[in-house]
Amino acid sequence: MYLCTIFVQYMKVVIAEKYKKYSDFILNIPSRFDDEDCEILKQKRNSVRLFLNEGKAFVVKRYKRVNWIQSIIYTFFRATKAKRAYDFAREMRHRGIETPHEIAYIETKEHGLFTVGYFICEESKGREVYEDVIERAEFDHKLVDAVIDHILFMHSKGVLHGDMNSANFLYTTDKEGNYHFEMIDTNRSHFCKGFPTEKQCLENIKRFTHRRDLYKYVIQGYASLQKHSLRITFQIVGNGICVIGIQVLDRLFKVCNRIIIFYESILYCGD
């Protein structure tokens, strides 16, 4: 529950109950976000930085400033990415999916219209799956098998992560070598009452990677666990399995990515 909502001039701040004691620090995040005394975690269309206050780590994501069309949409018709990130973190955990605990979100405004959003959460100690899968010539099959299991687990809980990119899977291992995952960048996720449809599940996995061998491995492994029919996704060729029209799909991926980026620039204010 967000039990602490603060309205100051040109700014709305919502803070989770257990973090109210950090209110003064959180209120000043927009003004000090570009300070040099914080660690830069990511610097792309959105910026992610790590702040320390009273010995506690705060991960802050600042979303790209919206254009005037998005400003109207997010002010009157649609929840901001910052608010959705906050709400969806709670919903994820409610459904048994681990994600860094939400601390607060901030919405800044100019002339009464939304401009920039901030999402603040706990720091995760997990490592990106991307680093140990995509960037290696031979990907870690055991880790990928665990990822496939986790994707199936999320789907069984009615969760369709909005950006199933391997970089959004953070993982740790316990003493027995078991993998444990935390999901980040959840603000575009969708939640179902029951198990998603086969089409929804397969569509959801598309963004995990564009690496051919890994993509085939994930789709095949997931379909095998779910006992999905592979007739739409794969063709049997001799003793092997190949993705239908893989060369065509590679080109379509690039075209679709451009379309998605253009669409999000209008409606979602960037990723």
Side-chain angles (χ1 to χ4, degrees):
M1 297 295 292
Y2 17 98
L3 302 179
C4 181
T5 303
I6 303 171
F7 291 91
V8 297
Q9 190 174 19
Y10 307 122
M11 191 165 67
K12 174 185 177 181
V13 183
V14 173
I15 305 173
E17 173 69 18
K18 63 184 290 187
Y19 301 101
K20 284 199 303 182
K21 63 181 180 179
Y22 302 107
S23 294
D24 290 342
F25 165 76
I26 293 171
L27 285 170
N28 287 310
I29 283 177
S31 62
R32 61 172 299 190
F33 187 82
D34 293 315
D35 285 355
E36 296 182 358
D37 62 347
C38 64
E39 180 182 351
I40 298 175
L41 302 180
K42 287 189 178 181
Q43 187 69 37
K44 296 182 179 180
R45 282 184 291 170
N46 302 318
S47 299
V48 182
R49 304 196 175 194
L50 179 67
F51 290 86
L52 294 176
N53 179 258
E54 299 179 10
K56 181 172 182 58
F58 295 78
V59 174
V60 182
K61 182 173 186 177
R62 181 177 67 184
Y63 295 94
K64 180 183 176 183
R65 183 185 178 92
V66 300
N67 60 39
W68 68 272
I69 296 176
Q70 298 162 346
S71 183
I72 294 172
I73 292 172
Y74 283 128
T75 300
F76 300 108
F77 304 108
R78 183 177 174 83
T80 65
K81 280 194 169 186
K83 183 181 187 305
R84 281 181 283 143
Y86 183 96
D87 290 340
F88 289 0
R90 293 188 302 122
E91 182 63 25
M92 286 274 188
R93 282 198 318 283
H94 176 71
R95 294 180 182 234
I97 312 299
E98 290 302 317
T99 186
H101 201 291
E102 72 284 356
I103 293 175
Y105 75 88
I106 301 171
E107 297 174 346
T108 61
K109 295 183 177 183
E110 291 180 9
H111 310 293
L113 297 177
F114 171 78
T115 54
V116 179
Y118 299 80
F119 172 60
I120 303 98
C121 67
E122 293 269 10
E123 180 186 19
S124 172
K125 299 300 182 183
R127 178 181 173 87
E128 289 184 3
V129 166
Y130 178 91
E131 298 174 0
D132 293 323
V133 173
I134 308 300
E135 295 187 333
R136 294 188 177 184
E138 290 293 330
F139 62 83
D140 186 333
H141 286 70
K142 182 181 178 182
L143 174 57
V144 175
D145 287 342
V147 168
I148 296 171
D149 287 340
H150 191 65
I151 292 173
L152 180 58
F153 174 70
M154 286 194 290
H155 290 171
S156 73
K157 297 296 183 178
V159 175
L160 292 166
H161 191 286
D163 186 2
M164 193 75 80
N165 187 300
S166 58
N168 290 330
F169 288 74
L170 305 182
Y171 77 95
T172 56
T173 54
D174 58 28
K175 295 179 179 179
E176 287 72 38
N178 299 312
Y179 294 101
H180 302 276
F181 295 95
E182 284 187 307
M183 303 304 299
I184 60 172
D185 204 6
T186 62
N187 60 278
R188 285 185 289 173
S189 298
H190 298 278
F191 302 97
C192 310
K193 289 185 178 180
F195 207 104
T197 65
E198 176 178 334
K199 181 178 180 180
Q200 286 176 316
C201 291
L202 294 177
E203 286 286 331
N204 188 229
I205 303 173
K206 274 185 177 181
R207 287 193 176 192
F208 183 75
T209 180
H210 289 170
R211 178 174 164 174
R212 294 181 185 182
D213 59 336
L214 179 58
Y215 180 72
K216 289 193 293 183
Y217 187 88
V218 171
I219 291 293
Q220 184 182 6
Y222 180 89
S224 177
L225 287 175
Q226 261 297 81
K227 295 182 172 55
H228 280 323
S229 168
L230 298 179
R231 65 185 182 279
I232 298 176
T233 312
F234 295 103
Q235 282 182 327
I236 302 299
V237 180
N239 294 324
I241 299 177
C242 70
V243 177
I244 295 176
I246 190 70
Q247 290 83 7
V248 175
L249 285 178
D250 280 350
R251 294 179 183 177
L252 286 177
F253 274 138
K254 295 178 181 178
V255 173
C256 289
N257 280 342
R258 292 175 184 173
I259 294 173
I260 289 170
I261 291 172
F262 173 76
Y263 174 74
E264 289 177 341
S265 71
I266 296 176
L267 183 59
Y268 294 118
C269 77
D271 186 19

